Amino acid sequence: MKLLFSPTSPYARKVRIVAAEKRIELEMVPVVLSAPDCPVNEHNPLGKIPVLLLDDGDSLFDSRVIVEYLDNRTPLARLIPQENSLRITVRRWEALADGICDAAVAALMESRRPEQMQDPASIAKQLGKVERGLKALSQELGNNKWCVGDAFSLADVAVGCVLGYLKLRYKNINWQQQYPNLAEYYAELMTRASFKESAPAES
Ligand SMILES: N[C@@H](CCC(=O)N[C@@H](CS)C(=O)NCC(=O)O)C(=O)O
């Protein structure tokens, strides 16, 4: 199986961490979305990464579908609980974490447009989602070691990926100081090989 990804994509990082935790070997294919010969559109009409190319030629997207597929490939290190209410709780955390990523990515894209074309209200709206989302993550995590119950799960993978993305792209949002519980939690996640090896290089 091949994964079309970019090293800074938080959604692709989620997939890379899940594969590593479950000891599933993926052939990594780095892509540049803006390159004219970028293969992503051929496999995902939405033109987004990550995309998982299966050995039979099919493709899977988006990250939520890919992580479920990988989690079901082997019972080793299950990251999505099979019991319904726990599974929904894990997926709600993932939706919150991914939603913060969506807002952070949208604000970044808007702020990269030529200044006279930028819409400050739209940037502010997206950043409001990021701020409220971080507050919710901090409150809901509290002093717990993991997001859901007493086991590492997909919820922790997703939350770790959004925190890593904000650390990389939004140095002005000092969530580590604002929410010490999230800072401690991220530091703990970063002791895992799967997180360390997938961390985007800080420039
Ligand atoms: N919901 C999607 C989001 C994927 C996504 O937005 N990926 C970004 C890279 S971080 C992308 O491909 N952006 C290109 C575009 O939106 O055209 C997922 O979970 O996989």
Side-chain angles (χ1 to χ4, degrees), residues 1-3 11-28 50-55 60 62-80 91 154 157:
M1 290 184 291
K2 294 182 187 175
L3 184 72
Y11 313 98
R13 188 180 183 199
K14 204 169 63 165
V15 172
R16 291 156 70 204
I17 291 171
V18 166
E21 291 284 339
K22 296 190 66 78
R23 311 274 184 270
I24 295 173
E25 195 83 27
L26 298 180
E27 187 183 328
M28 304 302 293
V51 180
L52 185 68
L53 304 183
L54 303 181
D55 295 339
L60 292 184
D62 62 5
S63 66
R64 296 183 208 190
V65 174
I66 301 173
V67 295
E68 182 162 342
Y69 174 79
L70 293 177
D71 199 43
N72 284 330
R73 271 193 61 113
T74 155
L76 175 86
R78 268 212 185 273
L79 296 170
I80 304 175
R91 302 234 80 162
L154 176 64
V157 178

mmCIF file of all heavy atoms in Angstrom, residues 1-3 11-28 50-55 60 62-80 91 154 157:
data_model
loop_
_atom_site.group_PDB
_atom_site.id
_atom_site.type_symbol
_atom_site.label_atom_id
_atom_site.label_comp_id
_atom_site.label_asym_id
_atom_site.label_seq_id
_atom_site.Cartn_x
_atom_site.Cartn_y
_atom_site.Cartn_z
ATOM 1 N N MET A 1 0.850 -1.195 0.000
ATOM 2 C CA MET A 1 0.000 0.000 0.000
ATOM 3 C C MET A 1 0.885 1.244 0.000
ATOM 4 O O MET A 1 1.910 1.273 0.679
ATOM 5 C CB MET A 1 -0.868 0.006 1.256
ATOM 6 C CG MET A 1 -1.944 -1.057 1.239
ATOM 7 S SD MET A 1 -3.012 -0.945 2.696
ATOM 8 C CE MET A 1 -1.891 -1.459 4.006
ATOM 9 N N LYS A 2 0.433 2.250 -0.760
ATOM 10 C CA LYS A 2 1.215 3.487 -0.843
ATOM 11 C C LYS A 2 0.414 4.627 -0.232
ATOM 12 O O LYS A 2 -0.796 4.721 -0.456
ATOM 13 C CB LYS A 2 1.483 3.859 -2.304
ATOM 14 C CG LYS A 2 2.368 2.882 -3.028
ATOM 15 C CD LYS A 2 2.598 3.378 -4.455
ATOM 16 C CE LYS A 2 3.336 2.297 -5.226
ATOM 17 N NZ LYS A 2 3.499 2.628 -6.626
ATOM 18 N N LEU A 3 1.109 5.521 0.459
ATOM 19 C CA LEU A 3 0.422 6.689 1.022
ATOM 20 C C LEU A 3 0.937 7.953 0.340
ATOM 21 O O LEU A 3 2.127 8.262 0.394
ATOM 22 C CB LEU A 3 0.679 6.790 2.532
ATOM 23 C CG LEU A 3 -0.091 7.933 3.207
ATOM 24 C CD1 LEU A 3 -1.595 7.597 3.285
ATOM 25 C CD2 LEU A 3 0.453 8.221 4.610
ATOM 26 N N TYR A 11 -3.279 15.783 8.701
ATOM 27 C CA TYR A 11 -4.181 14.653 8.419
ATOM 28 C C TYR A 11 -3.348 13.433 7.986
ATOM 29 O O TYR A 11 -3.643 12.302 8.376
ATOM 30 C CB TYR A 11 -5.175 15.019 7.316
ATOM 31 C CG TYR A 11 -5.836 16.356 7.510
ATOM 32 C CD1 TYR A 11 -5.371 17.500 6.859
ATOM 33 C CD2 TYR A 11 -6.931 16.492 8.363
ATOM 34 C CE1 TYR A 11 -5.972 18.736 7.036
ATOM 35 C CE2 TYR A 11 -7.543 17.722 8.549
ATOM 36 C CZ TYR A 11 -7.060 18.846 7.882
ATOM 37 O OH TYR A 11 -7.652 20.073 8.060
ATOM 38 N N ALA A 12 -2.319 13.694 7.182
ATOM 39 C CA ALA A 12 -1.452 12.588 6.770
ATOM 40 C C ALA A 12 -0.655 12.069 7.968
ATOM 41 O O ALA A 12 -0.405 10.872 8.093
ATOM 42 C CB ALA A 12 -0.497 13.057 5.663
ATOM 43 N N ARG A 13 -0.295 12.976 8.878
ATOM 44 C CA ARG A 13 0.444 12.524 10.068
ATOM 45 C C ARG A 13 -0.407 11.561 10.895
ATOM 46 O O ARG A 13 0.089 10.572 11.431
ATOM 47 C CB ARG A 13 0.881 13.726 10.919
ATOM 48 C CG ARG A 13 1.817 13.329 12.046
ATOM 49 C CD ARG A 13 2.254 14.504 12.888
ATOM 50 N NE ARG A 13 3.206 14.091 13.905
ATOM 51 C CZ ARG A 13 3.488 14.792 15.004
ATOM 52 N NH1 ARG A 13 2.902 15.972 15.189
ATOM 53 N NH2 ARG A 13 4.347 14.338 15.893
ATOM 54 N N LYS A 14 -1.695 11.855 10.967
ATOM 55 C CA LYS A 14 -2.618 10.968 11.698
ATOM 56 C C LYS A 14 -2.529 9.548 11.127
ATOM 57 O O LYS A 14 -2.411 8.569 11.860
ATOM 58 C CB LYS A 14 -4.035 11.529 11.534
ATOM 59 C CG LYS A 14 -5.019 11.150 12.592
ATOM 60 C CD LYS A 14 -6.303 11.988 12.475
ATOM 61 C CE LYS A 14 -7.013 11.752 11.176
ATOM 62 N NZ LYS A 14 -8.394 12.225 11.099
ATOM 63 N N VAL A 15 -2.553 9.457 9.801
ATOM 64 C CA VAL A 15 -2.491 8.146 9.144
ATOM 65 C C VAL A 15 -1.125 7.490 9.394
ATOM 66 O O VAL A 15 -1.039 6.284 9.677
ATOM 67 C CB VAL A 15 -2.727 8.303 7.622
ATOM 68 C CG1 VAL A 15 -2.469 7.004 6.887
ATOM 69 C CG2 VAL A 15 -4.155 8.799 7.358
ATOM 70 N N ARG A 16 -0.050 8.286 9.314
ATOM 71 C CA ARG A 16 1.295 7.720 9.506
ATOM 72 C C ARG A 16 1.440 7.173 10.926
ATOM 73 O O ARG A 16 2.043 6.117 11.150
ATOM 74 C CB ARG A 16 2.349 8.791 9.226
ATOM 75 C CG ARG A 16 2.395 9.158 7.735
ATOM 76 C CD ARG A 16 2.960 10.548 7.523
ATOM 77 N NE ARG A 16 4.369 10.605 7.817
ATOM 78 C CZ ARG A 16 5.015 11.745 8.163
ATOM 79 N NH1 ARG A 16 4.366 12.881 8.254
ATOM 80 N NH2 ARG A 16 6.296 11.728 8.383
ATOM 81 N N ILE A 17 0.876 7.894 11.900
ATOM 82 C CA ILE A 17 0.987 7.437 13.292
ATOM 83 C C ILE A 17 0.182 6.155 13.491
ATOM 84 O O ILE A 17 0.651 5.198 14.114
ATOM 85 C CB ILE A 17 0.543 8.552 14.266
ATOM 86 C CG1 ILE A 17 1.564 9.691 14.230
ATOM 87 C CG2 ILE A 17 0.365 8.010 15.683
ATOM 88 C CD1 ILE A 17 1.149 10.942 14.980
ATOM 89 N N VAL A 18 -1.020 6.131 12.937
ATOM 90 C CA VAL A 18 -1.850 4.917 13.077
ATOM 91 C C VAL A 18 -1.119 3.718 12.457
ATOM 92 O O VAL A 18 -1.032 2.643 13.060
ATOM 93 C CB VAL A 18 -3.244 5.131 12.439
ATOM 94 C CG1 VAL A 18 -3.985 3.816 12.263
ATOM 95 C CG2 VAL A 18 -4.068 6.092 13.298
ATOM 96 N N ALA A 19 -0.560 3.893 11.268
ATOM 97 C CA ALA A 19 0.155 2.784 10.611
ATOM 98 C C ALA A 19 1.335 2.338 11.472
ATOM 99 O O ALA A 19 1.555 1.135 11.671
ATOM 100 C CB ALA A 19 0.628 3.215 9.221
ATOM 101 N N ALA A 20 2.073 3.296 12.018
ATOM 102 C CA ALA A 20 3.247 2.938 12.828
ATOM 103 C C ALA A 20 2.821 2.210 14.104
ATOM 104 O O ALA A 20 3.428 1.197 14.484
ATOM 105 C CB ALA A 20 4.043 4.197 13.179
ATOM 106 N N GLU A 21 1.778 2.720 14.771
ATOM 107 C CA GLU A 21 1.325 2.074 16.013
ATOM 108 C C GLU A 21 0.876 0.637 15.741
ATOM 109 O O GLU A 21 1.050 -0.240 16.569
ATOM 110 C CB GLU A 21 0.168 2.862 16.644
ATOM 111 C CG GLU A 21 0.559 4.224 17.199
ATOM 112 C CD GLU A 21 1.318 4.150 18.536
ATOM 113 O OE1 GLU A 21 1.208 3.122 19.224
ATOM 114 O OE2 GLU A 21 2.000 5.138 18.862
ATOM 115 N N LYS A 22 0.289 0.428 14.553
ATOM 116 C CA LYS A 22 -0.251 -0.895 14.236
ATOM 117 C C LYS A 22 0.749 -1.762 13.473
ATOM 118 O O LYS A 22 0.426 -2.851 13.004
ATOM 119 C CB LYS A 22 -1.557 -0.739 13.442
ATOM 120 C CG LYS A 22 -2.624 -0.042 14.297
ATOM 121 C CD LYS A 22 -3.976 -0.065 13.672
ATOM 122 C CE LYS A 22 -4.569 -1.444 13.548
ATOM 123 N NZ LYS A 22 -5.132 -2.018 14.777
ATOM 124 N N ARG A 23 1.976 -1.232 13.326
ATOM 125 C CA ARG A 23 3.061 -1.958 12.631
ATOM 126 C C ARG A 23 2.648 -2.357 11.211
ATOM 127 O O ARG A 23 2.878 -3.476 10.760
ATOM 128 C CB ARG A 23 3.471 -3.226 13.396
ATOM 129 C CG ARG A 23 3.734 -3.015 14.864
ATOM 130 C CD ARG A 23 5.179 -2.581 15.088
ATOM 131 N NE ARG A 23 5.475 -2.475 16.501
ATOM 132 C CZ ARG A 23 5.319 -1.351 17.229
ATOM 133 N NH1 ARG A 23 4.847 -0.249 16.679
ATOM 134 N NH2 ARG A 23 5.651 -1.329 18.496
ATOM 135 N N ILE A 24 1.975 -1.436 10.520
ATOM 136 C CA ILE A 24 1.590 -1.686 9.133
ATOM 137 C C ILE A 24 2.554 -0.901 8.251
ATOM 138 O O ILE A 24 2.703 0.319 8.405
ATOM 139 C CB ILE A 24 0.133 -1.235 8.861
ATOM 140 C CG1 ILE A 24 -0.840 -2.077 9.674
ATOM 141 C CG2 ILE A 24 -0.193 -1.324 7.373
ATOM 142 C CD1 ILE A 24 -2.298 -1.616 9.615
ATOM 143 N N GLU A 25 3.196 -1.625 7.360
ATOM 144 C CA GLU A 25 4.194 -1.004 6.479
ATOM 145 C C GLU A 25 3.491 -0.283 5.327
ATOM 146 O O GLU A 25 2.656 -0.877 4.647
ATOM 147 C CB GLU A 25 5.068 -2.139 5.907
ATOM 148 C CG GLU A 25 6.350 -1.709 5.270
ATOM 149 C CD GLU A 25 7.475 -1.503 6.308
ATOM 150 O OE1 GLU A 25 7.449 -2.148 7.374
ATOM 151 O OE2 GLU A 25 8.344 -0.693 5.985
ATOM 152 N N LEU A 26 3.800 0.993 5.125
ATOM 153 C CA LEU A 26 3.245 1.732 3.981
ATOM 154 C C LEU A 26 4.417 2.256 3.154
ATOM 155 O O LEU A 26 5.415 2.708 3.729
ATOM 156 C CB LEU A 26 2.418 2.936 4.447
ATOM 157 C CG LEU A 26 1.172 2.677 5.298
ATOM 158 C CD1 LEU A 26 0.509 4.007 5.660
ATOM 159 C CD2 LEU A 26 0.184 1.775 4.557
ATOM 160 N N GLU A 27 4.252 2.227 1.847
ATOM 161 C CA GLU A 27 5.265 2.880 1.015
ATOM 162 C C GLU A 27 4.902 4.365 0.962
ATOM 163 O O GLU A 27 3.785 4.722 0.576
ATOM 164 C CB GLU A 27 5.239 2.261 -0.387
ATOM 165 C CG GLU A 27 6.368 2.758 -1.269
ATOM 166 C CD GLU A 27 6.254 2.180 -2.687
ATOM 167 O OE1 GLU A 27 5.763 1.044 -2.838
ATOM 168 O OE2 GLU A 27 6.633 2.905 -3.618
ATOM 169 N N MET A 28 5.824 5.204 1.379
ATOM 170 C CA MET A 28 5.514 6.627 1.503
ATOM 171 C C MET A 28 5.843 7.360 0.206
ATOM 172 O O MET A 28 6.963 7.255 -0.291
ATOM 173 C CB MET A 28 6.335 7.237 2.644
ATOM 174 C CG MET A 28 6.141 6.547 3.983
ATOM 175 S SD MET A 28 4.428 6.547 4.522
ATOM 176 C CE MET A 28 4.214 8.268 4.800
ATOM 177 N N PRO A 50 -4.309 13.108 2.908
ATOM 178 C CA PRO A 50 -3.708 11.869 2.426
ATOM 179 C C PRO A 50 -4.639 11.052 1.532
ATOM 180 O O PRO A 50 -5.856 11.145 1.640
ATOM 181 C CB PRO A 50 -3.442 11.106 3.724
ATOM 182 C CG PRO A 50 -4.548 11.536 4.633
ATOM 183 C CD PRO A 50 -4.783 12.992 4.306
ATOM 184 N N VAL A 51 -3.975 10.239 0.668
ATOM 185 C CA VAL A 51 -4.687 9.230 -0.123
ATOM 186 C C VAL A 51 -3.938 7.917 0.068
ATOM 187 O O VAL A 51 -2.703 7.898 -0.017
ATOM 188 C CB VAL A 51 -4.702 9.577 -1.627
ATOM 189 C CG1 VAL A 51 -5.462 8.508 -2.413
ATOM 190 C CG2 VAL A 51 -5.297 10.949 -1.882
ATOM 191 N N LEU A 52 -4.682 6.853 0.328
ATOM 192 C CA LEU A 52 -4.058 5.534 0.447
ATOM 193 C C LEU A 52 -4.352 4.751 -0.827
ATOM 194 O O LEU A 52 -5.517 4.578 -1.205
ATOM 195 C CB LEU A 52 -4.615 4.781 1.657
ATOM 196 C CG LEU A 52 -3.946 3.438 1.950
ATOM 197 C CD1 LEU A 52 -2.505 3.628 2.431
ATOM 198 C CD2 LEU A 52 -4.738 2.648 3.002
ATOM 199 N N LEU A 53 -3.285 4.298 -1.494
ATOM 200 C CA LEU A 53 -3.464 3.483 -2.705
ATOM 201 C C LEU A 53 -3.347 2.026 -2.310
ATOM 202 O O LEU A 53 -2.311 1.586 -1.773
ATOM 203 C CB LEU A 53 -2.394 3.832 -3.743
ATOM 204 C CG LEU A 53 -2.312 5.314 -4.155
ATOM 205 C CD1 LEU A 53 -1.258 5.521 -5.242
ATOM 206 C CD2 LEU A 53 -3.670 5.809 -4.648
ATOM 207 N N LEU A 54 -4.417 1.289 -2.546
ATOM 208 C CA LEU A 54 -4.429 -0.128 -2.172
ATOM 209 C C LEU A 54 -3.752 -0.958 -3.261
ATOM 210 O O LEU A 54 -3.638 -0.518 -4.408
ATOM 211 C CB LEU A 54 -5.873 -0.596 -1.965
ATOM 212 C CG LEU A 54 -6.676 0.199 -0.928
ATOM 213 C CD1 LEU A 54 -8.091 -0.370 -0.802
ATOM 214 C CD2 LEU A 54 -5.979 0.177 0.425
ATOM 215 N N ASP A 55 -3.338 -2.166 -2.885
ATOM 216 C CA ASP A 55 -2.601 -3.005 -3.837
ATOM 217 C C ASP A 55 -3.465 -3.401 -5.036
ATOM 218 O O ASP A 55 -2.947 -3.697 -6.109
ATOM 219 C CB ASP A 55 -2.051 -4.251 -3.126
ATOM 220 C CG ASP A 55 -1.008 -3.850 -2.078
ATOM 221 O OD1 ASP A 55 -0.451 -2.728 -2.203
ATOM 222 O OD2 ASP A 55 -0.782 -4.624 -1.127
ATOM 223 N N LEU A 60 -8.206 5.122 -1.225
ATOM 224 C CA LEU A 60 -9.041 5.501 -0.072
ATOM 225 C C LEU A 60 -8.704 6.909 0.378
ATOM 226 O O LEU A 60 -7.542 7.307 0.405
ATOM 227 C CB LEU A 60 -8.790 4.554 1.108
ATOM 228 C CG LEU A 60 -9.242 3.109 0.988
ATOM 229 C CD1 LEU A 60 -8.968 2.393 2.311
ATOM 230 C CD2 LEU A 60 -10.720 3.013 0.622
ATOM 231 N N ASP A 62 -11.051 10.098 3.041
ATOM 232 C CA ASP A 62 -9.993 10.933 3.541
ATOM 233 C C ASP A 62 -9.321 10.253 4.730
ATOM 234 O O ASP A 62 -9.466 9.040 4.896
ATOM 235 C CB ASP A 62 -10.539 12.329 3.870
ATOM 236 C CG ASP A 62 -11.612 12.353 4.956
ATOM 237 O OD1 ASP A 62 -11.889 11.301 5.548
ATOM 238 O OD2 ASP A 62 -12.148 13.436 5.231
ATOM 239 N N SER A 63 -8.647 11.050 5.570
ATOM 240 C CA SER A 63 -7.873 10.435 6.664
ATOM 241 C C SER A 63 -8.764 9.598 7.593
ATOM 242 O O SER A 63 -8.329 8.570 8.106
ATOM 243 C CB SER A 63 -7.123 11.505 7.464
ATOM 244 O OG SER A 63 -8.012 12.365 8.143
ATOM 245 N N ARG A 64 -10.019 10.011 7.783
ATOM 246 C CA ARG A 64 -10.881 9.268 8.727
ATOM 247 C C ARG A 64 -11.207 7.877 8.199
ATOM 248 O O ARG A 64 -11.312 6.917 8.955
ATOM 249 C CB ARG A 64 -12.174 10.036 8.989
ATOM 250 C CG ARG A 64 -11.889 11.371 9.669
ATOM 251 C CD ARG A 64 -13.166 12.092 9.997
ATOM 252 N NE ARG A 64 -12.903 13.524 9.995
ATOM 253 C CZ ARG A 64 -13.751 14.447 10.426
ATOM 254 N NH1 ARG A 64 -14.924 14.095 10.875
ATOM 255 N NH2 ARG A 64 -13.435 15.718 10.387
ATOM 256 N N VAL A 65 -11.395 7.799 6.888
ATOM 257 C CA VAL A 65 -11.682 6.493 6.270
ATOM 258 C C VAL A 65 -10.412 5.635 6.295
ATOM 259 O O VAL A 65 -10.449 4.438 6.606
ATOM 260 C CB VAL A 65 -12.188 6.700 4.826
ATOM 261 C CG1 VAL A 65 -12.344 5.372 4.105
ATOM 262 C CG2 VAL A 65 -13.508 7.464 4.837
ATOM 263 N N ILE A 66 -9.285 6.266 5.997
ATOM 264 C CA ILE A 66 -8.022 5.500 5.951
ATOM 265 C C ILE A 66 -7.688 4.931 7.339
ATOM 266 O O ILE A 66 -7.311 3.766 7.455
ATOM 267 C CB ILE A 66 -6.855 6.375 5.433
ATOM 268 C CG1 ILE A 66 -7.156 6.912 4.035
ATOM 269 C CG2 ILE A 66 -5.559 5.571 5.433
ATOM 270 C CD1 ILE A 66 -6.132 7.935 3.520
ATOM 271 N N VAL A 67 -7.847 5.751 8.385
ATOM 272 C CA VAL A 67 -7.468 5.226 9.708
ATOM 273 C C VAL A 67 -8.389 4.076 10.132
ATOM 274 O O VAL A 67 -7.938 3.115 10.751
ATOM 275 C CB VAL A 67 -7.389 6.324 10.810
ATOM 276 C CG1 VAL A 67 -6.286 7.319 10.512
ATOM 277 C CG2 VAL A 67 -8.710 7.017 11.035
ATOM 278 N N GLU A 68 -9.652 4.169 9.757
ATOM 279 C CA GLU A 68 -10.564 3.069 10.101
ATOM 280 C C GLU A 68 -10.162 1.801 9.343
ATOM 281 O O GLU A 68 -10.158 0.702 9.893
ATOM 282 C CB GLU A 68 -12.011 3.463 9.774
ATOM 283 C CG GLU A 68 -12.980 2.376 10.165
ATOM 284 C CD GLU A 68 -14.417 2.868 10.282
ATOM 285 O OE1 GLU A 68 -14.654 4.082 10.393
ATOM 286 O OE2 GLU A 68 -15.296 1.992 10.231
ATOM 287 N N TYR A 69 -9.816 1.976 8.076
ATOM 288 C CA TYR A 69 -9.383 0.831 7.263
ATOM 289 C C TYR A 69 -8.138 0.179 7.892
ATOM 290 O O TYR A 69 -8.083 -1.040 8.072
ATOM 291 C CB TYR A 69 -9.087 1.311 5.835
ATOM 292 C CG TYR A 69 -8.494 0.250 4.955
ATOM 293 C CD1 TYR A 69 -9.304 -0.728 4.377
ATOM 294 C CD2 TYR A 69 -7.125 0.211 4.698
ATOM 295 C CE1 TYR A 69 -8.753 -1.721 3.571
ATOM 296 C CE2 TYR A 69 -6.570 -0.763 3.888
ATOM 297 C CZ TYR A 69 -7.386 -1.728 3.331
ATOM 298 O OH TYR A 69 -6.840 -2.707 2.543
ATOM 299 N N LEU A 70 -7.170 1.004 8.247
ATOM 300 C CA LEU A 70 -5.924 0.457 8.818
ATOM 301 C C LEU A 70 -6.195 -0.197 10.169
ATOM 302 O O LEU A 70 -5.658 -1.264 10.470
ATOM 303 C CB LEU A 70 -4.866 1.564 8.974
ATOM 304 C CG LEU A 70 -4.321 2.166 7.667
ATOM 305 C CD1 LEU A 70 -3.334 3.288 7.977
ATOM 306 C CD2 LEU A 70 -3.657 1.108 6.785
ATOM 307 N N ASP A 71 -7.053 0.428 10.964
ATOM 308 C CA ASP A 71 -7.320 -0.142 12.293
ATOM 309 C C ASP A 71 -7.976 -1.515 12.182
ATOM 310 O O ASP A 71 -7.743 -2.386 13.024
ATOM 311 C CB ASP A 71 -8.197 0.813 13.114
ATOM 312 C CG ASP A 71 -8.101 0.501 14.599
ATOM 313 O OD1 ASP A 71 -6.973 0.252 15.081
ATOM 314 O OD2 ASP A 71 -9.133 0.492 15.288
ATOM 315 N N ASN A 72 -8.779 -1.696 11.131
ATOM 316 C CA ASN A 72 -9.471 -2.980 10.959
ATOM 317 C C ASN A 72 -8.617 -4.039 10.268
ATOM 318 O O ASN A 72 -9.005 -5.195 10.204
ATOM 319 C CB ASN A 72 -10.764 -2.776 10.173
ATOM 320 C CG ASN A 72 -11.830 -2.160 11.053
ATOM 321 O OD1 ASN A 72 -11.841 -2.384 12.263
ATOM 322 N ND2 ASN A 72 -12.695 -1.356 10.478
ATOM 323 N N ARG A 73 -7.475 -3.631 9.734
ATOM 324 C CA ARG A 73 -6.637 -4.630 9.035
ATOM 325 C C ARG A 73 -6.016 -5.611 9.991
ATOM 326 O O ARG A 73 -5.709 -6.739 9.628
ATOM 327 C CB ARG A 73 -5.530 -3.928 8.240
ATOM 328 C CG ARG A 73 -6.043 -3.605 6.863
ATOM 329 C CD ARG A 73 -5.008 -3.215 5.908
ATOM 330 N NE ARG A 73 -3.969 -4.164 5.611
ATOM 331 C CZ ARG A 73 -3.807 -4.742 4.436
ATOM 332 N NH1 ARG A 73 -4.682 -4.549 3.477
ATOM 333 N NH2 ARG A 73 -2.774 -5.518 4.205
ATOM 334 N N THR A 74 -5.737 -5.172 11.208
ATOM 335 C CA THR A 74 -5.142 -6.079 12.189
ATOM 336 C C THR A 74 -5.673 -5.715 13.573
ATOM 337 O O THR A 74 -5.821 -4.523 13.883
ATOM 338 C CB THR A 74 -3.589 -5.998 12.190
ATOM 339 O OG1 THR A 74 -3.112 -6.409 13.479
ATOM 340 C CG2 THR A 74 -3.067 -4.621 11.892
ATOM 341 N N PRO A 75 -5.945 -6.724 14.393
ATOM 342 C CA PRO A 75 -6.441 -6.430 15.748
ATOM 343 C C PRO A 75 -5.327 -5.888 16.650
ATOM 344 O O PRO A 75 -5.594 -5.390 17.738
ATOM 345 C CB PRO A 75 -6.947 -7.789 16.245
ATOM 346 C CG PRO A 75 -6.269 -8.804 15.397
ATOM 347 C CD PRO A 75 -5.900 -8.153 14.098
ATOM 348 N N LEU A 76 -4.076 -5.943 16.186
ATOM 349 C CA LEU A 76 -2.951 -5.462 16.988
ATOM 350 C C LEU A 76 -3.117 -3.973 17.299
ATOM 351 O O LEU A 76 -3.374 -3.182 16.390
ATOM 352 C CB LEU A 76 -1.639 -5.683 16.205
ATOM 353 C CG LEU A 76 -0.381 -5.138 16.853
ATOM 354 C CD1 LEU A 76 0.201 -6.157 17.819
ATOM 355 C CD2 LEU A 76 0.656 -4.754 15.810
ATOM 356 N N ALA A 77 -2.981 -3.610 18.558
ATOM 357 C CA ALA A 77 -3.025 -2.213 18.997
ATOM 358 C C ALA A 77 -4.254 -1.477 18.459
ATOM 359 O O ALA A 77 -4.132 -0.476 17.757
ATOM 360 C CB ALA A 77 -1.749 -1.489 18.554
ATOM 361 N N ARG A 78 -5.436 -1.979 18.814
ATOM 362 C CA ARG A 78 -6.665 -1.321 18.330
ATOM 363 C C ARG A 78 -6.729 0.122 18.800
ATOM 364 O O ARG A 78 -6.529 0.417 19.975
ATOM 365 C CB ARG A 78 -7.902 -2.060 18.847
ATOM 366 C CG ARG A 78 -8.338 -3.085 17.872
ATOM 367 C CD ARG A 78 -9.838 -3.310 17.869
ATOM 368 N NE ARG A 78 -10.106 -4.422 16.958
ATOM 369 C CZ ARG A 78 -10.289 -4.273 15.648
ATOM 370 N NH1 ARG A 78 -10.272 -3.074 15.101
ATOM 371 N NH2 ARG A 78 -10.504 -5.315 14.879
ATOM 372 N N LEU A 79 -7.041 1.029 17.880
ATOM 373 C CA LEU A 79 -7.095 2.457 18.207
ATOM 374 C C LEU A 79 -8.515 2.999 18.178
ATOM 375 O O LEU A 79 -8.781 4.088 18.673
ATOM 376 C CB LEU A 79 -6.213 3.238 17.222
ATOM 377 C CG LEU A 79 -4.727 2.885 17.322
ATOM 378 C CD1 LEU A 79 -3.944 3.505 16.181
ATOM 379 C CD2 LEU A 79 -4.153 3.335 18.660
ATOM 380 N N ILE A 80 -9.433 2.244 17.551
ATOM 381 C CA ILE A 80 -10.845 2.639 17.533
ATOM 382 C C ILE A 80 -11.607 1.537 18.276
ATOM 383 O O ILE A 80 -11.657 0.395 17.808
ATOM 384 C CB ILE A 80 -11.381 2.777 16.090
ATOM 385 C CG1 ILE A 80 -10.521 3.764 15.294
ATOM 386 C CG2 ILE A 80 -12.846 3.214 16.105
ATOM 387 C CD1 ILE A 80 -10.899 3.873 13.815
ATOM 388 N N ARG A 91 -14.404 9.099 18.176
ATOM 389 C CA ARG A 91 -14.565 9.775 16.883
ATOM 390 C C ARG A 91 -15.000 11.228 17.050
ATOM 391 O O ARG A 91 -14.726 12.076 16.211
ATOM 392 C CB ARG A 91 -15.517 8.983 15.989
ATOM 393 C CG ARG A 91 -14.974 7.562 15.799
ATOM 394 C CD ARG A 91 -14.818 7.106 14.419
ATOM 395 N NE ARG A 91 -13.656 7.553 13.719
ATOM 396 C CZ ARG A 91 -13.193 6.961 12.608
ATOM 397 N NH1 ARG A 91 -13.791 5.912 12.129
ATOM 398 N NH2 ARG A 91 -12.136 7.437 11.983
ATOM 399 N N LEU A 154 -7.245 6.485 18.902
ATOM 400 C CA LEU A 154 -7.242 7.409 17.758
ATOM 401 C C LEU A 154 -7.501 8.846 18.210
ATOM 402 O O LEU A 154 -7.021 9.798 17.588
ATOM 403 C CB LEU A 154 -8.314 6.969 16.750
ATOM 404 C CG LEU A 154 -8.522 7.883 15.544
ATOM 405 C CD1 LEU A 154 -7.272 7.957 14.663
ATOM 406 C CD2 LEU A 154 -9.722 7.415 14.720
ATOM 407 N N VAL A 157 -4.235 10.304 18.902
ATOM 408 C CA VAL A 157 -3.494 10.522 17.647
ATOM 409 C C VAL A 157 -3.964 11.835 17.017
ATOM 410 O O VAL A 157 -3.155 12.690 16.637
ATOM 411 C CB VAL A 157 -3.706 9.348 16.661
ATOM 412 C CG1 VAL A 157 -2.977 9.616 15.350
ATOM 413 C CG2 VAL A 157 -3.256 8.025 17.271
#
